Amino acid sequence: MASLPARSRYSLSSRLTLALLALGASAQAAEPSASKPVAAAATQGRPQLLLHPGSARPGDPVMVAVRGLAGMPSGTLAGRPLRFFAWGDGFLAVTGLPVELAPGSAMVHVEVPAPTGGAPVELAGTLDVVEPGYPSRELKVSGKYVEPPASVRARIAADKRAFATAFGQPFSPPHFAQNFVRPRQDRITAPFGDKRTFNGKLSGQHFGVDIDGDPGAPVMASNEGTVVMTRDNYAAGKTVLIHHGADLYTSYFHLSRIHVKKGAKVTQGQRIGEVGSTGRVTGPHLHWGVKVDGKWVDGESLLRLDFFPTPPAVASGETGAGAQ
């Protein structure tokens, strides 16, 4: 991986220590590290497992960080495999909690290679999964979107294949050098996770954040990445999908116009389209979606993840790992 910007050199610092249980190289239980800077733990040669956030809802994105290692770790969260990549002076995995995950404790297991042979080191912890409290609502849409006619079934099948291809990009480290932002600064008309009934018949869940906007209002890229879809889909309408690396994607549905082409490299804040009402909608708005590790997650929660936290302060005269 290319070297990170200077501001992210210590990117897994103490602000990620909303910490869990960490086990030292001797596989003995360590003290909880909620108040201990990561850099200090790494200096002592003790592998450390950290989660951000320390508690999450079903449908939230989660970052799993490991520090003080000599080799690439592997692991699981709630039984789902994690895919790590080198990040700063540690390793990071970004995943999403399934919306159907029951509240309670989700186990985290990470295995890391031993520094000089011998048995691997095992790290373990728990993530507090809290009740999401997703609301329910009933919506009225054109009948053709509840019971699609036979004439559009081939189009719907083609849309499904196109989405599968777009979301099938090779795994890579993040393509971005800053945290995510909203694609529009306007009021949220429908949050992620709404349980919906269309015309009293079709039930589903809202896997995105609806942001208000007049037709033609600008829609911006939430972060740097590569455009992997520009398509007029039956239900999603005119759509842009951006791949940001780390199996993380943002989607922009119901656009009236698209201003980018498939394969284009975009920057954060670049205008990629305009608000519209194409596809299955009740009125003009932007449906902003986030998919990570194969799961749709809440974009508002993604905005709270800090991929580039400020390094911990080092007192005058100290020579900790953060000192230069």
Side-chain angles (χ1 to χ4, degrees):
M1 177 180 177
S3 60
L4 297 175
R7 66 184 179 198
S8 64
R9 189 178 306 148
Y10 307 111
S11 62
L12 304 179
S13 63
S14 59
R15 277 209 273 169
L16 290 184
T17 60
L18 302 172
L20 304 180
L21 186 64
L23 301 184
S26 64
Q28 297 296 317
E31 293 295 323
S33 54
S35 61
K36 181 186 292 181
V38 173
T43 301
Q44 297 167 6
R46 290 168 46 185
Q48 189 174 34
L49 171 64
L50 305 159
L51 292 187
H52 184 45
S55 64
R57 304 170 306 161
D60 277 349
V62 176
M63 298 197 299
V64 181
V66 186
R67 295 291 303 274
L69 305 179
M72 181 71 70
S74 61
T76 60
L77 170 57
R80 299 185 67 234
L82 295 169
R83 290 198 280 187
F84 286 93
F85 48 87
W87 194 241
D89 51 3
F91 298 91
L92 184 67
V94 188
T95 190
L97 297 183
V99 291
E100 64 272 14
L101 186 66
S105 295
M107 294 302 300
V108 186
H109 294 283
V110 176
E111 186 174 279
V112 299
T116 55
V121 176
E122 293 186 356
L123 310 180
T126 58
L127 171 69
D128 292 331
V129 181
V130 300
E131 176 64 47
Y134 294 133
S136 298
R137 67 172 64 190
E138 182 167 333
L139 301 174
K140 298 293 184 182
V141 298
S142 173
K144 67 180 181 178
Y145 293 113
V146 177
E147 297 180 359
S151 59
V152 300
R153 290 174 188 167
R155 180 184 175 188
I156 293 172
D159 292 345
K160 185 176 180 180
R161 292 192 297 270
F163 273 107
T165 299
F167 286 131
Q169 304 303 309
F171 185 80
S172 64
H175 302 164
F176 51 89
Q178 53 198 326
N179 292 319
F180 284 78
V181 298
R182 278 192 192 175
R184 281 188 51 72
Q185 295 302 319
D186 212 322
R187 70 186 182 96
I188 293 176
T189 57
F192 177 91
D194 273 6
K195 297 176 181 178
R196 297 179 162 189
T197 301
F198 294 95
N199 298 2
K201 297 180 180 180
L202 180 66
S203 296
Q205 197 159 6
H206 188 226
F207 293 137
V209 176
D210 285 352
I211 304 175
D212 199 12
D214 294 327
V219 174
M220 311 301 188
S222 293
N223 216 333
E224 299 166 82
T226 302
V227 177
V228 293
M229 174 186 280
T230 55
R231 180 183 175 88
D232 189 356
N233 296 288
Y234 181 73
K238 291 183 179 180
T239 298
V240 172
L241 293 184
I242 300 176
H243 178 222
H244 303 282
D247 203 19
L248 198 163
Y249 301 81
T250 52
S251 66
Y252 310 79
F253 291 177
H254 311 309
L255 303 175
S256 59
R257 294 185 63 189
I258 294 173
H259 293 294
V260 291
K261 294 182 178 180
K262 183 179 177 181
K265 306 291 184 181
V266 296
T267 58
Q268 185 181 86
Q270 179 177 336
R271 186 168 179 165
I272 59 174
E274 299 175 12
V275 171
S277 55
T278 56
R280 186 174 70 185
V281 294
T282 57
H285 69 279
L286 170 67
H287 172 105
W288 176 50
V290 176
K291 197 169 193 178
V292 59
D293 196 19
K295 297 293 183 183
W296 290 108
V297 298
D298 186 1
E300 289 294 290
S301 295
L302 176 69
L303 300 181
R304 293 190 285 271
L305 292 186
D306 192 352
F307 290 86
F308 306 96
T310 303
V314 178
S316 177
E318 291 185 4
T319 57
Q324 296 189 16

